[in-house]
Amino acid sequence: MLLTRLAQVSRDVAATAARSRKTALLAELFREAEPDDVPIVIPYLAGRLPQGRLGVGWKVLSRPVPPAGEPTLTVREVDALLGELGKVSGPGSQAQRVRLVGELMGAATEEEQRFLLGLLTGEVRQGALDAVAVEGLARATGADPAAVRRAVMLAGSLQTVAQALLGEGPGALDRFRLTVGRPVLPMLAHSASSVAEAVEKLGACAVEEKLDGIRVQVHRDGDTVRVHTRTLDDITGRLPEVTAAARELRGERFILDGEVISFDAAGRPRSFQETAGRVGSRTDVAKAAGEVPVSPVFFDVLSVDGTDLLDLPFAERHAELARLVPEPMRVRRTVASGPGDLAEAERFLAETLARGHEGVVVKALDAPYSAGRRGAAWLKVKPVHTLDLVVLAAEWGHGRRTGKLSNLHLGARTPDGGFAMLGKTFKGMTDAMLAWQTERLRELAVEDDGWVVRVRPELVVEIAYDGLQRSTRYPAGVTLRFARVVRYREDKRPEEADTVEALLAAHPEVEP
């Protein structure tokens, strides 16, 4: 497939908000694609590189290269060149990156260059999400959308399913089954503003602690135990405590869903960053385990002794979980019969917060396990932190946000009267907000290098965030987790913005 075709579809998908139109565009693209193109096409549409991070900065990408006159570049040629780019390292690597990027851009037309630039800078965000791609794939092949979704869930990869479907037709879906040893995408939760809202929506439900740990899926087949992350990465070797715990359980063959979390000496959860740092540690695992031990906490079971439990109601799955996993290794929970039992749910939330956890997840007792989907049967409730911060700069957007100032650089006040950057966000912005902030920030601009517009620190914005973590990237030594824009506060002056000192005081668990 020519890259120009993919770039055109990406542009057209970005230009429409209608899901039906997006689906039709993707279906047409999939009909034209060769099966071997699919592992490249699907990630590119979603703005992902199969190779991951390539180590190519804006200094290299911003060098002007005359575009090709005619489109000849194929997606496989692009993938091969990016694969070569990802392997570059050592002395002379920067010059080699410049050469390879120049070679790629020189073979691309002007439209293809724009697409590649967005792809390489992480700015392809045009709404071609996996859920829409599943619908497009089903339409392109005549398969049942529900069957495609289930196959993707069980395969853990849309690309794998798409390649099989396009090569063999709908019959290929039969081969995708729940198998111990092959991870599946986890079920995810939507948000609710309160426990009352969640219980009202779900009726009879379980209210469980929401742990601020690392999601894991544990597979055991006899003495063989594998541990996978929510992105299906195998981290078995990093978590000897989890593999040991799994071998102590009653069953011989199962798949469990849960989290790993680290507790301090008082039994309170350590910061997310400490747990994440431990799980991410690849060297001297024994030393890391001694310094920051982690514990598995399970809340669901997907398979036991070869029996697929995905379609069972949660109440039945939990009964099986309780038979398999001892109480100390299961998540704390209470059960509410419905809105009339709200007091118990509220009490449990207060108790959970007092124990140092970030909130609760409310789960419908009659719901199946919708792996790989953010289903309405699980609703997370947690207090929302907000800050009033000052916009220090903004980055020009790509895709649907071309011509708009999008990614905000956010700062908090420092004792010397200046501002310390805490991170960036492009989330939470409506089209109207994007248009307004672009105009307003251009009025405040003091420098524009074509990528970042630096502005006078005068505009205050209210930011919601999920927590704080240490960071060596920013001067305050911390950064915000999952920051998103709530609203602009033109009623506030920069001097009224929150301070770094107050932020750190509100999060004593994080030491910069």
Side-chain angles (χ1 to χ4, degrees):
M1 173 176 283
L2 288 175
L3 180 66
T4 187
R5 178 67 178 126
L6 182 60
Q8 288 167 356
V9 171
S10 177
R11 179 197 63 205
D12 292 344
V13 167
T16 180
R19 188 183 182 100
S20 59
R21 177 61 179 154
K22 291 180 190 287
T23 301
L25 288 166
L26 294 181
E28 186 177 352
L29 181 72
F30 289 141
R31 290 189 191 102
E32 299 172 16
E34 295 291 330
D36 288 344
D37 291 333
V38 170
I40 307 166
V41 167
I42 288 177
Y44 281 12
L45 282 170
R48 299 190 299 264
L49 290 171
Q51 295 85 0
R53 297 175 68 92
L54 297 178
V56 180
W58 178 246
K59 187 175 181 180
V60 173
L61 295 173
S62 61
R63 294 169 181 254
V65 178
E70 296 293 330
T72 60
L73 202 55
T74 69
V75 294
R76 286 187 232 177
E77 288 172 336
V78 173
D79 184 64
L81 199 148
L82 293 182
E84 189 177 344
L85 188 61
K87 296 175 183 175
V88 173
S89 63
S93 58
Q94 185 71 351
Q96 197 171 352
R97 289 190 185 101
V98 170
R99 179 184 65 78
L100 289 171
V101 169
E103 182 181 324
L104 175 63
M105 292 300 187
T109 64
E110 188 173 352
E111 182 178 28
E112 290 170 336
Q113 284 188 353
R114 284 195 296 270
F115 175 77
L116 288 170
L117 185 63
L119 185 64
L120 292 169
T121 57
E123 287 287 341
V124 174
R125 291 187 288 266
Q126 79 279 51
L129 303 177
D130 285 350
V132 183
V134 163
E135 294 172 11
L137 182 62
R139 183 179 298 185
T141 59
D144 176 18
V148 177
R149 278 192 293 271
R150 186 176 181 86
V152 171
M153 167 188 81
L154 297 175
S157 166
L158 174 57
Q159 293 95 295
T160 300
V161 174
Q163 199 165 13
L165 259 179
L166 292 173
E168 305 168 37
L173 298 178
D174 294 338
R175 80 167 70 133
F176 297 104
R177 304 175 184 277
L178 184 63
T179 304
V180 175
R182 186 170 68 191
V184 299
L185 295 170
M187 183 171 178
L188 304 174
H190 275 297
S191 295
S193 61
S194 66
V195 167
E197 177 191 336
V199 175
E200 179 69 32
K201 285 184 177 179
L202 300 182
C205 57
V207 184
E208 299 182 345
E209 287 181 334
K210 187 179 189 308
L211 308 178
D212 197 15
I214 300 295
R215 186 80 173 265
V216 292
Q217 193 175 108
V218 177
H219 293 239
R220 177 181 173 184
D221 189 355
D223 288 334
T224 301
V225 176
R226 310 304 300 177
V227 184
H228 298 269
T229 65
R230 63 184 291 168
T231 54
L232 311 186
D233 296 321
D234 189 329
I235 56 171
T236 307
R238 304 180 215 168
L239 297 173
E241 309 101 306
V242 178
T243 57
R247 290 192 179 102
E248 292 296 319
L249 299 180
R250 297 186 182 97
E252 288 287 319
R253 200 158 181 261
F254 53 73
I255 303 174
L256 297 174
D257 189 6
E259 299 220 359
V260 291
I261 188 168
S262 180
F263 296 97
D264 63 20
R268 294 181 64 82
R270 300 191 194 211
S271 70
F272 171 81
Q273 192 170 14
E274 287 181 274
T275 300
R278 163 60 213 286
V279 173
S281 178
R282 300 169 186 266
T283 58
D284 204 345
V285 171
K287 180 182 178 183
E291 294 174 347
V292 186
V294 294
S295 302
V297 181
F298 298 110
F299 47 71
D300 216 325
V301 57
L302 282 57
S303 173
V304 174
D305 296 331
T307 301
D308 180 339
L309 307 181
L310 295 175
D311 293 328
L312 289 183
F314 179 49
E316 294 184 33
R317 295 199 312 278
H318 190 270
E320 192 64 32
L321 180 72
R323 184 189 68 79
L324 186 67
V325 178
E327 186 174 0
M329 252 194 278
R330 299 198 306 269
V331 74
R332 288 173 180 254
R333 72 199 300 255
T334 190
V335 174
S337 59
D341 206 7
L342 183 58
E344 169 60 16
E346 295 280 13
R347 180 203 64 77
F348 186 80
L349 171 61
E351 179 185 289
T352 297
L353 295 175
R355 285 170 49 79
H357 297 297
E358 62 174 4
V360 295
V361 182
V362 184
K363 301 178 179 179
L365 292 177
D366 60 355
Y369 190 95
S370 300
R373 303 188 69 188
R374 198 173 290 280
W378 287 12
L379 298 173
K380 57 187 175 183
V381 180
K382 56 183 179 179
V384 177
H385 305 289
T386 62
L387 291 170
D388 289 331
L389 301 176
V390 173
V391 179
L392 305 178
E395 298 171 9
W396 288 108
H398 292 273
R400 286 193 67 197
R401 295 187 176 187
T402 297
K404 300 289 192 300
L405 286 171
S406 174
N407 206 11
L408 302 179
H409 296 202
L410 305 167
R413 288 190 295 127
T414 55
D416 61 2
F419 297 92
M421 187 172 170
L422 296 175
K424 307 178 186 181
T425 188
F426 55 80
K427 297 180 179 178
M429 302 171 189
T430 63
D431 289 345
M433 185 183 291
L434 278 167
W436 180 87
Q437 76 183 25
T438 298
E439 181 177 353
R440 183 75 180 93
L441 291 172
R442 291 183 74 175
E443 293 172 357
L444 298 174
V446 294
E447 181 185 345
D448 183 353
D449 63 8
W451 175 249
V452 177
V453 176
R454 307 194 185 282
V455 300
R456 298 193 302 275
E458 298 177 8
L459 188 59
V460 178
V461 61
E462 184 178 351
I463 298 293
Y465 66 105
D466 286 2
L468 199 66
Q469 66 184 50
R470 290 193 300 272
S471 173
T472 57
R473 179 178 297 180
Y474 299 112
V478 294
T479 189
L480 306 178
R481 291 181 58 210
F482 305 115
R484 61 267 188 201
V485 174
V486 177
R487 56 178 171 160
Y488 278 95
R489 297 300 304 266
E490 288 196 284
D491 58 322
K492 289 198 170 188
R493 302 186 306 276
E495 308 90 86
E496 298 177 88
D498 285 299
T499 65
V500 172
E501 182 180 14
L503 174 63
L504 294 176
H507 296 276
E509 74 279 7
V510 179
E511 296 181 7

